[in-house]
Amino acid sequence: MTLVRRARAEDADAVFELVRQLGAAFVPVRSIFDETFAEIVGGDDQHVQVIVAEDDQGVVRGYALTTIARLLSTNGPSAQLQEIAVDEEARGLALGTALVREVEAECIRRGVRQLTVAARRAGGFYDRLGYSQNAEHMRRVF
């Protein structure tokens, strides 16, 4: 049975290893990660949330980071699933689905009007979860 819960300080090592698997444009720097993770997990900012998924042995095998902001065009808060990763060895165990469903449930609890995801490489996954394509995101790296 998968357990999805808010991340805690002691999850830092596991989440950092998952961040390394993202294959993002930036190489993760541990000292910067530690500072940011501690700020998010230990702070009281309700606009950023990190949740983790544990496997049957209680090992953190996935995480999701969501931001929530008020937009003028959505008649209330809007959320974006900024990052989601499941350990390569744990894929196919429905951990990603469990993470997304918990993000959705939190959005509903908080009155969020829409949840967006950047899904260029994982479109089929989100299609199966009921998401529809709305726009293509562009990015500029500084």
Side-chain angles (χ1 to χ4, degrees), residues 39-123:
E39 183 179 309
I40 292 171
V41 173
D44 59 358
D45 184 353
Q46 296 297 308
H47 298 97
V48 182
Q49 175 182 312
V50 176
I51 59 173
V52 296
E54 295 180 351
D55 65 14
D56 292 341
Q57 287 75 44
V59 177
V60 172
R61 303 298 293 264
Y63 86 96
L65 183 146
T66 308
T67 57
I68 300 174
R70 296 189 70 76
L71 302 181
L72 299 174
S73 62
T74 57
N75 297 317
S78 177
Q80 181 158 9
L81 180 53
Q82 301 281 0
E83 298 175 6
I84 185 169
V86 172
D87 183 51
E88 293 168 351
E89 296 178 9
R91 293 186 184 154
L93 301 177
L95 298 177
T97 299
L99 286 163
V100 171
R101 295 302 187 214
E102 180 56 31
V103 167
E104 292 171 342
E106 180 65 17
C107 286
I108 291 167
R109 284 190 290 273
R110 294 179 61 176
V112 168
R113 303 284 302 180
Q114 72 173 0
L115 172 62
T116 60
V117 298
R120 185 174 187 179
R121 295 185 308 174

